[in-house]
Amino acid sequence: MILRTSYLTKMAAPMSAGEFPLKTKQTAVDLNGEPTEVACIHYEDYDFILATQLNKMGTMVEVTRDVVLQEMSAARPSYTTRVLLGVDEPLTHVIAKNLLSKLDTTKKILLSFSLKDNSPKVIQGLSEVIQTVVE
């Protein structure tokens, strides 16, 4: 059996496709003794955020931000989460919402995380790191 592989020698992006090349930002930090890498790729309609302590993608969650109006017209962010890959358990949704709680964006977020340590201290620290990488 012969396998044929073709490669694109030119890559053209339509002029109306938004910013090209994609804007990316990444950092590496130590959280509670665990080396942690965080990367963000900004697309026109969503952001892809990868947070890992295990050097792999891990659980993938789609997060959308909803606005719930409270009394006195104050807005409070609320999040809808959907697990796309990995174990769909309540803790996964709680971690995803807490990791993104400090972000001020209306774009959809595709979050992928694999953590050795998911203690509240690490989640809080990782949330701050994600905020610096995304904005």
Side-chain angles (χ1 to χ4, degrees), residues 86-105:
V87 179
D88 190 358
E89 60 186 11
L91 184 59
T92 302
H93 297 273
V94 170
I95 289 172
K97 289 176 182 181
N98 281 309
L99 286 176
L100 304 177
S101 64
K102 295 184 180 184
L103 296 183
D104 186 25
T105 182

Side-chain angles (χ1 to χ4, degrees), residues 80-135:
T80 302
T81 55
R82 183 170 64 118
V83 175
L84 303 175
L85 181 67
V87 179
D88 190 358
E89 60 186 11
L91 184 59
T92 302
H93 297 273
V94 170
I95 289 172
K97 289 176 182 181
N98 281 309
L99 286 176
L100 304 177
S101 64
K102 295 184 180 184
L103 296 183
D104 186 25
T105 182
T106 56
K107 290 199 291 188
K108 251 184 208 182
I109 296 176
L110 185 58
L111 172 66
S112 179
F113 62 93
S114 58
L115 305 174
K116 286 182 187 176
D117 182 358
N118 60 1
S119 66
K121 181 180 175 183
V122 169
I123 299 300
Q124 177 68 28
L126 188 54
S127 176
E128 293 169 7
V129 173
I130 287 173
Q131 184 180 12
T132 63
V133 170
V134 172
E135 298 173 349

Side-chain angles (χ1 to χ4, degrees), residues 12-44:
M15 296 305 285
S16 63
E19 190 176 325
F20 190 83
L22 298 172
K23 181 181 168 190
T24 62
K25 190 172 178 183
Q26 66 184 46
T27 189
V29 295
D30 185 87
L31 292 175
N32 208 24
E34 293 293 339
T36 308
E37 294 184 49
V38 178
C40 180
I41 303 171
H42 298 279
Y43 294 91
E44 188 173 343

